[in-house]
Amino acid sequence: MKAKVYLTGAGPGDPALLTLKAKKAIKKADVILYDRLANDRFLEYAEAEAEKIYVGKKAKDHHFTQSEIEALMIKKAKAGKTVCRLKGGDPFIYGRGGEEALKLKAAGIEFEIIPGISSSLAVPLYAGIPLTQRHLASSFAVITGHEAADKEESTIEIEKISAAVDTLVILMGVGKLPQIVERVLAAGKSPETPAALVRWGSHSKQQTLTGKLINISDRVEAADFKPPAVIIIGEVVKLRQDLKWFENKSLFGKNILVTRPRAQAASFVEMIETEAGRAVLAPTIEIKAAQNRQPLQKAVRNLGEYTHLIFTSVNGVKHFREALDQKGLDFRALAGIKVITIGAKTAEELRKQGIKADFMPADYSTAGILNYLKQLQGEGKINLSQASFLLPRADIAPQLLEEELKALGAEVNNVEAYRTEAVALEPEVLELIKNSDLDLLTFSSSSTVENFISGLDH
């Protein structure tokens, strides 16, 4: 297979700002070289066997030099690998993507450029600062702070640029802010010109500091405001007071622990991130097939023996479907069987298979199912002594439902459809807990609670 490198922009950090094309490149890659500004959540789109290498750089702390990154990229590609070079923002806007592309060209390696949303555009927006505004600002410029600070050696004529545009956006300039402000003032800008710095823009930990040219450097020093941050200078900064929106979201700045299995956490994580929270993935259980699959397969072969089928989880539905598949069957095999579910997500998983549950208790509980069946029996609509229930459940599922159904006279086959295994808490998560950096802990089952507590003891 011919090697290829995708120079891929990952955007400023919000997972929702990753483009569809970038997502496809991550998924097809054999090797992913990712930097410090690309949200680690993007790696979830990679195949499990993909090699993931962190090559991040920050001031005075380089895991890899630029030349080492280029050499590694070429080495992997020449080994026949499809490489995704994942870069924060856009690869060609102060991302050194052009340099990397030229190296690939010289090495005879095919490459493709996938644009990303630049932090120079997205971060001011997430802070509620438009770069242009009718009657206020009709032009803007983006420069790098690395070169803009040194008047003697800089190739950037910041005085001319600042005088020519209404809004100035500066990337990678926090460490040289006093020198930058001095040059902007020398260009004729008023000391009262509004200025803002936005740190970790589009992330839940976004921070915005505002002031004026005359005092912004002092404010940054007093707040110990560290990079990475985008600097915005211009009258448009005044609009932030009315236009800020991201920081007003209900979960902004909240670190929320998600303990459900990784494969089932996507929708919940998306809900958290939609409200500007940070989802800390820490699955405490892993769902696996039953060690002995014969009981479930036998139950599937003999579905005609059952009058009712009760699903208490999404996993029960999925593993039951797999058992049907293994026998060359589908959910049409349930014709004539009443289906009961606990939980909206379980019912939704069934609907994906074209099956609408006959009943779902409003309180998502075993008691709700039992009360419903007792009511039907009282109305003469069911004779539980002649009913037969199949319960495809977890190996650790509570026995209450089975015991109560039997007490009502029904036959019950409580069959293990899947099992749960404990997953150890990662050191990063334990550190967040130790430092009291988590705002909310969420649990989807008793087993996630038990394994979480157990994990704290190790």
Side-chain angles (χ1 to χ4, degrees), residues 131-172:
L131 298 185
T132 64
Q133 179 78 1
R134 193 177 182 189
H135 304 310
L136 191 62
S138 59
S139 61
F140 71 92
V142 180
I143 64 174
T144 170
H146 277 325
E147 295 184 27
D150 192 330
K151 187 174 182 180
E152 300 301 323
E153 298 181 9
S154 175
T155 59
I156 298 175
E157 297 186 75
I158 191 171
E159 290 84 1
K160 291 183 179 179
I161 295 172
S162 180
V165 299
D166 299 309
T167 306
L168 187 62
V169 180
I170 304 163
L171 306 182
M172 302 172 288

Short mmCIF file of all heavy atoms in Angstrom, two decimals, residues 131-172:
data_model
loop_
_atom_site.label_atom_id
_atom_site.label_comp_id
_atom_site.label_asym_id
_atom_site.label_seq_id
_atom_site.Cartn_x
_atom_site.Cartn_y
_atom_site.Cartn_z
N LEU A 131 -14.30 39.70 15.37
CA LEU A 131 -13.10 40.38 14.83
C LEU A 131 -13.47 41.55 13.95
O LEU A 131 -12.68 42.49 13.78
CB LEU A 131 -12.25 39.37 14.06
CG LEU A 131 -11.70 38.21 14.90
CD1 LEU A 131 -10.77 37.34 14.08
CD2 LEU A 131 -10.99 38.72 16.14
N THR A 132 -14.64 41.49 13.35
CA THR A 132 -15.15 42.63 12.59
C THR A 132 -16.56 42.91 13.06
O THR A 132 -17.28 42.02 13.51
CB THR A 132 -15.17 42.35 11.07
OG1 THR A 132 -16.08 41.27 10.79
CG2 THR A 132 -13.79 41.99 10.55
N GLN A 133 -16.95 44.17 12.97
CA GLN A 133 -18.30 44.59 13.38
C GLN A 133 -18.63 45.87 12.63
O GLN A 133 -17.84 46.82 12.62
CB GLN A 133 -18.36 44.81 14.89
CG GLN A 133 -19.70 45.26 15.43
CD GLN A 133 -20.69 44.12 15.55
OE1 GLN A 133 -20.35 42.97 15.25
NE2 GLN A 133 -21.90 44.42 15.99
N ARG A 134 -19.78 45.88 11.99
CA ARG A 134 -20.17 47.04 11.20
C ARG A 134 -20.10 48.32 12.05
O ARG A 134 -20.56 48.34 13.19
CB ARG A 134 -21.58 46.84 10.67
CG ARG A 134 -21.98 47.84 9.59
CD ARG A 134 -23.36 47.52 9.07
NE ARG A 134 -23.73 48.45 8.00
CZ ARG A 134 -24.94 48.52 7.45
NH1 ARG A 134 -25.89 47.70 7.88
NH2 ARG A 134 -25.19 49.39 6.50
N HIS A 135 -19.53 49.36 11.47
CA HIS A 135 -19.36 50.69 12.08
C HIS A 135 -18.33 50.70 13.21
O HIS A 135 -18.11 51.73 13.84
CB HIS A 135 -20.69 51.23 12.63
CG HIS A 135 -21.78 51.30 11.63
ND1 HIS A 135 -21.62 51.88 10.39
CD2 HIS A 135 -23.08 50.86 11.68
CE1 HIS A 135 -22.75 51.81 9.71
NE2 HIS A 135 -23.66 51.17 10.46
N LEU A 136 -17.70 49.55 13.49
CA LEU A 136 -16.73 49.51 14.57
C LEU A 136 -15.38 48.97 14.11
O LEU A 136 -14.33 49.51 14.47
CB LEU A 136 -17.27 48.65 15.72
CG LEU A 136 -16.51 48.69 17.04
CD1 LEU A 136 -16.52 50.11 17.61
CD2 LEU A 136 -17.12 47.72 18.04
N ALA A 137 -15.41 47.89 13.31
CA ALA A 137 -14.16 47.29 12.83
C ALA A 137 -14.43 46.59 11.51
O ALA A 137 -15.25 45.68 11.44
CB ALA A 137 -13.62 46.30 13.85
N SER A 138 -13.75 47.02 10.47
CA SER A 138 -13.96 46.44 9.14
C SER A 138 -12.75 45.63 8.65
O SER A 138 -12.77 45.09 7.55
CB SER A 138 -14.27 47.54 8.12
OG SER A 138 -13.21 48.48 8.06
N SER A 139 -11.70 45.54 9.48
CA SER A 139 -10.51 44.80 9.06
C SER A 139 -9.81 44.22 10.28
O SER A 139 -9.94 44.72 11.39
CB SER A 139 -9.55 45.73 8.30
OG SER A 139 -9.13 46.79 9.14
N PHE A 140 -9.09 43.12 10.04
CA PHE A 140 -8.29 42.54 11.12
C PHE A 140 -7.05 41.89 10.51
O PHE A 140 -6.99 41.58 9.32
CB PHE A 140 -9.10 41.53 11.94
CG PHE A 140 -9.40 40.24 11.24
CD1 PHE A 140 -8.55 39.14 11.34
CD2 PHE A 140 -10.55 40.11 10.46
CE1 PHE A 140 -8.83 37.95 10.71
CE2 PHE A 140 -10.85 38.92 9.82
CZ PHE A 140 -9.99 37.83 9.94
N ALA A 141 -6.06 41.67 11.36
CA ALA A 141 -4.84 41.00 10.94
C ALA A 141 -4.44 40.01 12.03
O ALA A 141 -4.71 40.23 13.21
CB ALA A 141 -3.72 42.00 10.71
N VAL A 142 -3.81 38.92 11.60
CA VAL A 142 -3.32 37.90 12.53
C VAL A 142 -1.81 37.82 12.40
O VAL A 142 -1.28 37.68 11.29
CB VAL A 142 -3.95 36.53 12.21
CG1 VAL A 142 -3.42 35.48 13.19
CG2 VAL A 142 -5.47 36.59 12.27
N ILE A 143 -1.11 37.93 13.51
CA ILE A 143 0.35 37.85 13.49
C ILE A 143 0.81 36.91 14.60
O ILE A 143 0.05 36.56 15.50
CB ILE A 143 1.02 39.23 13.66
CG1 ILE A 143 0.68 39.82 15.03
CG2 ILE A 143 0.59 40.17 12.54
CD1 ILE A 143 1.42 41.11 15.33
N THR A 144 2.06 36.51 14.55
CA THR A 144 2.63 35.67 15.60
C THR A 144 3.43 36.51 16.58
O THR A 144 4.22 37.38 16.17
CB THR A 144 3.55 34.59 15.01
OG1 THR A 144 4.26 33.95 16.07
CG2 THR A 144 4.55 35.15 14.02
N GLY A 145 3.23 36.28 17.84
CA GLY A 145 3.92 37.04 18.87
C GLY A 145 5.38 36.66 19.02
O GLY A 145 6.16 37.41 19.59
N HIS A 146 5.77 35.50 18.53
CA HIS A 146 7.16 35.08 18.62
C HIS A 146 8.08 36.06 17.92
O HIS A 146 9.18 36.33 18.39
CB HIS A 146 7.34 33.69 17.99
CG HIS A 146 6.99 32.57 18.92
ND1 HIS A 146 7.23 32.63 20.27
CD2 HIS A 146 6.41 31.36 18.68
CE1 HIS A 146 6.81 31.51 20.84
NE2 HIS A 146 6.31 30.73 19.91
N GLU A 147 7.62 36.60 16.80
CA GLU A 147 8.47 37.51 16.03
C GLU A 147 8.12 38.97 16.25
O GLU A 147 8.95 39.85 16.08
CB GLU A 147 8.35 37.19 14.53
CG GLU A 147 8.89 35.83 14.14
CD GLU A 147 8.82 35.61 12.64
OE1 GLU A 147 8.88 36.60 11.90
OE2 GLU A 147 8.72 34.45 12.22
N ALA A 148 6.87 39.22 16.66
CA ALA A 148 6.42 40.60 16.73
C ALA A 148 7.08 41.41 17.84
O ALA A 148 7.11 42.63 17.79
CB ALA A 148 4.91 40.63 16.91
N ALA A 149 7.62 40.74 18.85
CA ALA A 149 8.10 41.45 20.03
C ALA A 149 9.43 42.17 19.82
O ALA A 149 9.68 43.22 20.38
CB ALA A 149 8.21 40.48 21.20
N ASP A 150 10.29 41.60 19.02
CA ASP A 150 11.65 42.14 18.86
C ASP A 150 11.70 43.09 17.66
O ASP A 150 11.70 42.66 16.52
CB ASP A 150 12.64 40.99 18.67
CG ASP A 150 14.08 41.48 18.80
OD1 ASP A 150 14.34 42.65 18.46
OD2 ASP A 150 14.92 40.68 19.24
N LYS A 151 11.74 44.36 17.94
CA LYS A 151 11.69 45.35 16.86
C LYS A 151 12.91 45.29 15.96
O LYS A 151 12.84 45.54 14.76
CB LYS A 151 11.55 46.74 17.46
CG LYS A 151 11.32 47.84 16.43
CD LYS A 151 11.03 49.17 17.10
CE LYS A 151 10.77 50.26 16.06
NZ LYS A 151 10.47 51.56 16.69
N GLU A 152 14.06 44.95 16.53
CA GLU A 152 15.30 44.95 15.75
C GLU A 152 15.36 43.77 14.78
O GLU A 152 15.81 43.90 13.65
CB GLU A 152 16.51 44.93 16.69
CG GLU A 152 16.59 46.12 17.64
CD GLU A 152 16.65 47.45 16.89
OE1 GLU A 152 17.32 47.50 15.83
OE2 GLU A 152 16.03 48.41 17.37
N GLU A 153 14.93 42.59 15.22
CA GLU A 153 15.08 41.39 14.42
C GLU A 153 13.79 40.93 13.75
O GLU A 153 13.81 40.07 12.88
CB GLU A 153 15.62 40.25 15.30
CG GLU A 153 16.99 40.55 15.89
CD GLU A 153 17.50 39.40 16.72
OE1 GLU A 153 16.88 38.31 16.70
OE2 GLU A 153 18.53 39.57 17.40
N SER A 154 12.65 41.48 14.13
CA SER A 154 11.37 40.99 13.64
C SER A 154 11.20 41.25 12.14
O SER A 154 11.61 42.29 11.61
CB SER A 154 10.23 41.68 14.39
OG SER A 154 8.99 41.30 13.84
N THR A 155 10.61 40.27 11.47
CA THR A 155 10.23 40.44 10.06
C THR A 155 8.80 40.97 9.96
O THR A 155 8.32 41.22 8.86
CB THR A 155 10.32 39.10 9.32
OG1 THR A 155 9.43 38.15 9.95
CG2 THR A 155 11.73 38.55 9.34
N ILE A 156 8.15 41.14 11.10
CA ILE A 156 6.78 41.64 11.12
C ILE A 156 6.81 43.14 11.45
O ILE A 156 7.29 43.56 12.50
CB ILE A 156 5.94 40.90 12.20
CG1 ILE A 156 5.87 39.41 11.87
CG2 ILE A 156 4.55 41.50 12.30
CD1 ILE A 156 5.16 38.59 12.93
N GLU A 157 6.30 43.93 10.54
CA GLU A 157 6.25 45.38 10.75
C GLU A 157 4.97 45.70 11.51
O GLU A 157 3.99 46.18 10.95
CB GLU A 157 6.32 46.11 9.42
CG GLU A 157 7.62 45.86 8.68
CD GLU A 157 7.74 46.70 7.42
OE1 GLU A 157 8.01 47.92 7.55
OE2 GLU A 157 7.53 46.15 6.33
N ILE A 158 5.00 45.41 12.80
CA ILE A 158 3.80 45.50 13.60
C ILE A 158 3.24 46.92 13.65
O ILE A 158 2.03 47.13 13.73
CB ILE A 158 4.06 44.96 15.03
CG1 ILE A 158 2.74 44.80 15.79
CG2 ILE A 158 5.04 45.82 15.78
CD1 ILE A 158 2.90 44.07 17.11
N GLU A 159 4.12 47.92 13.59
CA GLU A 159 3.65 49.30 13.61
C GLU A 159 2.76 49.59 12.40
O GLU A 159 1.68 50.18 12.52
CB GLU A 159 4.83 50.28 13.64
CG GLU A 159 5.60 50.29 14.95
CD GLU A 159 6.66 49.19 15.03
OE1 GLU A 159 6.79 48.42 14.05
OE2 GLU A 159 7.34 49.11 16.06
N LYS A 160 3.20 49.14 11.23
CA LYS A 160 2.41 49.38 10.01
C LYS A 160 1.11 48.57 10.03
O LYS A 160 0.05 49.05 9.65
CB LYS A 160 3.23 49.02 8.77
CG LYS A 160 4.39 49.96 8.50
CD LYS A 160 5.12 49.59 7.22
CE LYS A 160 6.27 50.53 6.94
NZ LYS A 160 7.01 50.17 5.69
N ILE A 161 1.21 47.29 10.47
CA ILE A 161 0.03 46.44 10.49
C ILE A 161 -1.00 46.98 11.48
O ILE A 161 -2.19 47.09 11.19
CB ILE A 161 0.41 45.00 10.88
CG1 ILE A 161 1.31 44.38 9.81
CG2 ILE A 161 -0.84 44.14 11.08
CD1 ILE A 161 1.88 43.03 10.19
N SER A 162 -0.54 47.34 12.68
CA SER A 162 -1.43 47.84 13.71
C SER A 162 -2.13 49.12 13.27
O SER A 162 -3.31 49.33 13.57
CB SER A 162 -0.64 48.09 15.00
OG SER A 162 -1.48 48.57 16.01
N ALA A 163 -1.41 49.96 12.56
CA ALA A 163 -2.00 51.22 12.10
C ALA A 163 -2.98 51.01 10.96
O ALA A 163 -3.88 51.82 10.75
CB ALA A 163 -0.88 52.18 11.66
N ALA A 164 -2.83 49.90 10.24
CA ALA A 164 -3.64 49.68 9.04
C ALA A 164 -4.94 48.94 9.30
O ALA A 164 -5.85 48.97 8.47
CB ALA A 164 -2.81 48.91 8.00
N VAL A 165 -5.06 48.24 10.44
CA VAL A 165 -6.26 47.43 10.68
C VAL A 165 -6.95 47.88 11.97
O VAL A 165 -6.35 48.52 12.82
CB VAL A 165 -5.92 45.93 10.78
CG1 VAL A 165 -5.31 45.43 9.48
CG2 VAL A 165 -5.01 45.63 11.96
N ASP A 166 -8.22 47.48 12.07
CA ASP A 166 -9.00 47.84 13.26
C ASP A 166 -8.79 46.86 14.41
O ASP A 166 -8.83 47.24 15.57
CB ASP A 166 -10.48 47.89 12.89
CG ASP A 166 -10.78 48.93 11.83
OD1 ASP A 166 -10.35 50.08 11.99
OD2 ASP A 166 -11.42 48.58 10.81
N THR A 167 -8.61 45.58 14.07
CA THR A 167 -8.47 44.55 15.10
C THR A 167 -7.18 43.77 14.86
O THR A 167 -6.93 43.33 13.73
CB THR A 167 -9.66 43.57 15.07
OG1 THR A 167 -10.89 44.29 15.17
CG2 THR A 167 -9.56 42.58 16.23
N LEU A 168 -6.41 43.62 15.90
CA LEU A 168 -5.16 42.88 15.79
C LEU A 168 -5.26 41.62 16.65
O LEU A 168 -5.59 41.69 17.84
CB LEU A 168 -3.99 43.74 16.26
CG LEU A 168 -2.58 43.18 16.07
CD1 LEU A 168 -2.28 42.95 14.59
CD2 LEU A 168 -1.54 44.11 16.69
N VAL A 169 -4.99 40.48 16.02
CA VAL A 169 -5.00 39.19 16.72
C VAL A 169 -3.57 38.66 16.75
O VAL A 169 -2.91 38.59 15.71
CB VAL A 169 -5.91 38.17 16.01
CG1 VAL A 169 -5.90 36.83 16.75
CG2 VAL A 169 -7.33 38.71 15.92
N ILE A 170 -3.11 38.30 17.94
CA ILE A 170 -1.73 37.86 18.09
C ILE A 170 -1.71 36.47 18.72
O ILE A 170 -2.27 36.26 19.81
CB ILE A 170 -0.93 38.84 18.96
CG1 ILE A 170 -1.02 40.26 18.37
CG2 ILE A 170 0.52 38.41 19.08
CD1 ILE A 170 -0.62 41.35 19.33
N LEU A 171 -1.08 35.53 18.05
CA LEU A 171 -0.93 34.17 18.56
C LEU A 171 0.45 34.01 19.18
O LEU A 171 1.41 34.62 18.71
CB LEU A 171 -1.12 33.15 17.43
CG LEU A 171 -2.41 33.24 16.62
CD1 LEU A 171 -2.46 32.13 15.57
CD2 LEU A 171 -3.64 33.16 17.52
N MET A 172 0.53 33.19 20.21
CA MET A 172 1.82 32.85 20.83
C MET A 172 2.58 34.10 21.28
O MET A 172 3.79 34.21 21.08
CB MET A 172 2.67 32.03 19.85
CG MET A 172 2.00 30.75 19.40
SD MET A 172 2.89 29.89 18.07
CE MET A 172 2.56 30.98 16.68
#
